[in-house]
Amino acid sequence: VAGVPWLRGQALGTAAVGVLLGTAVSLLLAAAALVRWRAAGRLAAVETLHRAVLVSLLLTQVFLFATAPVWATAGLLADLVLLGLLAADRQRLRRAPHDDGVHLA
């Protein structure tokens, strides 16, 4: 909280608005992934989550570095790990489109 100006009661600047907008778009895409998982399967959900992480990486993190570099570094690492995991899962699902990865006993 100490390193984030808008959480200390200061006015929202361009960077803060960018962080909030990027976060909102990422959250909407993550919610859309849940809906797509039920409607179209796991591959569709993974592709939508991939988009959510890209928005976070390319929009949110850029603005966050302007205001809170330490938090942005942690977020960048998390986004890169998630991006790699989602890319691997997406590639696996594309190779075996009949297998949605859900197996109930």
Side-chain angles (χ1 to χ4, degrees), residues 4-101:
V4 183
W6 66 84
L7 292 180
R8 291 192 314 245
Q10 297 177 1
L12 291 176
T14 304
V17 171
V19 169
L20 293 174
L21 181 64
T23 301
V25 172
S26 291
L27 286 173
L28 287 173
L29 285 169
L34 289 175
V35 171
R36 291 197 71 197
W37 188 5
R38 301 285 290 178
R42 185 172 175 158
L43 179 59
V46 168
E47 289 174 343
T48 305
L49 279 175
H50 192 261
R51 290 182 188 101
V53 174
L54 283 175
V55 167
S56 177
L57 184 64
L58 298 174
L59 182 63
T60 307
Q61 296 305 321
V62 170
F63 286 109
L64 192 56
F65 266 105
T67 58
V70 174
W71 290 109
T73 302
L76 176 66
L77 292 174
D79 282 348
L80 290 174
V81 168
L82 283 172
L83 201 60
L85 291 172
L86 288 168
D89 197 31
R90 185 172 61 175
Q91 185 178 26
R92 183 187 62 80
L93 289 169
R94 284 184 177 165
R95 277 190 294 228
H98 61 281
D99 181 13
D100 67 356

